[in-house]
Amino acid sequence: MKKLLALALVLCMLLAVVPVGASAYSVVLSPQHLKVDGVEYQCEKYNIDGSNYFKLRDLAMLLAGTPAEFAVGWEPEYGAVTIAPGLPYEPIGGELEIGADKSASAVPSAQAFWFLDAPAGISAYNIGGNNFLKLRDLGDLLGFSVDFDAETNTALVYSGVDMNRVDPQPGQADAFDAIWDWVQTNANDNLGGDPEYYFFHDFGNGDQGLAELIAADLLVERDLLLRSTYFFSDGAHDVTWIFLERDNGAFYASYDYYTADNDGEEPDFTGDWLLIPGEFDASAPLMFDSVTDNLSGAVSTSTLIGFATQGAADILLWLNKICAAEPDLTNRASIADFGFDPAKLQLSEQ
């Protein structure tokens, strides 16, 4: 690490950042708020001549582990603060501590600031022994974006992390593997060569249902594919899919609908959405992320959304029943392990 940064200093000698000039300036505590990837944080910040400055190490701490993370170091030989994009930040203590107003101690920083490929012109102040920089200056260098919400007076930082990511529940990986291994051992191969567990259900009114649980390897990762096909007595059928991915806390789901006179492979209606376990409720219709509709108004979208929501709940309840009924799965896997609330699925239970 030290050798890398020292080499960077030698290579970038001509890119030294020039400290702010010693002209008069106005420094006060800043009332501006800060959000990083949608989460608000409290930290020390100052308004200097109309611009907001944030502590360098506070920002390094807040961006640690994101695509915009960076390391902060000190090279006494060069009197330089080093900022290394992509390297993990090592806390030294005192990060995100606010304390008393230190605006009276503010002076233009006498230190140089070194980047591996940095433009000159970074404005920096030393306040209470710490360096404070502008968000947008760092954003331009490190690749994170900065926006501003005037209504709430909030600086908005987006590191590039996937905002739709949902971290796995505790025990979710174990439950996933227990189900996947059980299907591999106890189910037959389907036409695609992946082990599959399935059964038919007769609803007693002429309608029937086919439930399928497939353990597959997609993109070198384990996947559980849950498919439910509902056959209506008039010959029509609809299909609901849920794709469970290993080490993913949210699931991709889709819904296909075929009209009675559709004998082709393509559904008349298809929609997909991100299924987030903690937010799913069978009584609240899901809203599709994307839709392909070739029905020409034959069936309302709101009706199809209701069918899809109920279909997803039915699949999850069915999966829960398998886990409860199979000795090898009992107490090892349930939909609750994936973050779903069983009480919110009872609306559609058969």
Side-chain angles (χ1 to χ4, degrees):
M1 171 69 179
K2 184 177 179 64
K3 291 182 179 179
L4 174 63
L5 294 176
L7 177 61
L9 290 173
V10 173
L11 294 176
C12 301
M13 185 68 72
L14 295 179
L15 295 177
V17 179
V18 180
V20 178
S23 58
Y25 43 86
S26 171
V27 184
V28 295
L29 284 173
S30 173
Q32 191 176 73
H33 304 288
L34 175 66
K35 284 187 177 181
V36 178
D37 291 331
V39 179
E40 184 166 357
Y41 294 94
Q42 302 299 321
C43 62
E44 190 173 7
K45 48 195 176 293
Y46 294 88
N47 185 291
I48 304 176
D49 289 339
S51 296
N52 290 293
Y53 287 71
F54 294 79
K55 188 190 298 183
L56 178 62
R57 287 190 174 273
D58 282 354
L59 296 174
M61 176 73 85
L62 293 175
L63 291 168
T66 75
E69 71 178 348
F70 63 95
V72 178
W74 168 245
E75 292 292 335
E77 181 179 356
Y78 300 96
V81 175
T82 57
I83 299 176
L87 295 181
Y89 176 68
E90 299 181 4
I92 62 172
E95 291 87 353
L96 300 178
E97 294 181 3
I98 299 176
D101 181 359
K102 306 179 186 68
S103 57
S105 68
V107 294
S109 179
Q111 296 170 348
F113 292 82
W114 295 93
F115 299 83
L116 295 180
D117 189 15
I122 298 298
S123 178
Y125 280 82
N126 186 296
I127 305 176
N130 292 291
N131 289 297
F132 286 72
L133 283 72
K134 292 181 182 178
L135 274 179
R136 291 190 185 275
D137 285 350
L138 274 180
D140 290 342
L141 292 169
L142 298 170
F144 63 81
S145 60
V146 180
D147 204 348
F148 178 66
D149 183 348
E151 184 176 348
T152 61
N153 189 28
T154 302
L156 307 173
V157 172
Y158 300 101
S159 70
V161 70
D162 183 1
M163 298 296 285
N164 288 323
R165 177 178 172 80
V166 178
D167 292 329
Q169 292 283 116
Q172 180 173 318
D174 291 339
F176 183 103
D177 286 338
I179 295 172
W180 199 90
D181 291 338
W182 181 86
V183 175
Q184 291 284 333
T185 303
N186 296 278
N188 298 319
D189 286 351
N190 65 9
L191 295 178
D194 295 310
E196 175 183 359
Y197 176 91
Y198 62 90
F199 67 86
F200 276 96
H201 180 77
D202 190 336
F203 293 97
N205 59 355
D207 296 347
Q208 290 184 317
L210 170 63
E212 301 169 85
L213 173 60
I214 304 169
D217 284 307
L218 299 179
L219 301 176
V220 197
E221 294 290 341
R222 285 185 168 189
D223 285 82
L224 285 171
L225 312 181
L226 294 88
R227 178 171 60 188
S228 173
T229 307
Y230 193 99
F231 298 92
F232 297 92
S233 58
D234 62 2
H237 65 282
D238 59 31
V239 181
T240 304
W241 282 91
I242 297 179
F243 301 83
L244 309 182
E245 298 179 355
R246 181 71 167 81
D247 295 331
N248 185 4
F251 308 120
Y252 172 79
S254 62
Y255 175 76
D256 296 338
Y257 182 82
Y258 297 78
T259 55
D261 57 354
N262 184 350
D263 296 326
E265 295 182 358
E266 296 297 325
D268 296 280
F269 176 95
T270 184
D272 60 79
W273 65 89
L274 193 67
L275 190 61
I276 301 177
E279 299 178 5
F280 182 75
D281 188 337
S283 65
L286 292 164
M287 297 305 294
F288 292 114
D289 291 332
S290 64
V291 166
T292 301
D293 185 356
N294 300 312
L295 289 173
S296 300
V299 180
S300 69
T301 301
S302 60
T303 298
L304 294 170
I305 290 175
F307 285 167
T309 305
Q310 180 171 327
D314 286 340
I315 285 182
L316 295 169
L317 285 168
W318 161 68
L319 177 61
N320 202 45
K321 289 179 180 179
I322 291 178
C323 293
E326 297 296 336
D328 290 343
L329 292 178
T330 302
N331 298 324
R332 292 185 61 196
S334 71
I335 56 173
D337 293 316
F338 289 95
F340 293 99
D341 182 354
K344 294 183 177 180
L345 306 177
Q346 300 304 313
L347 179 67
S348 57
E349 185 171 14
Q350 300 292 338

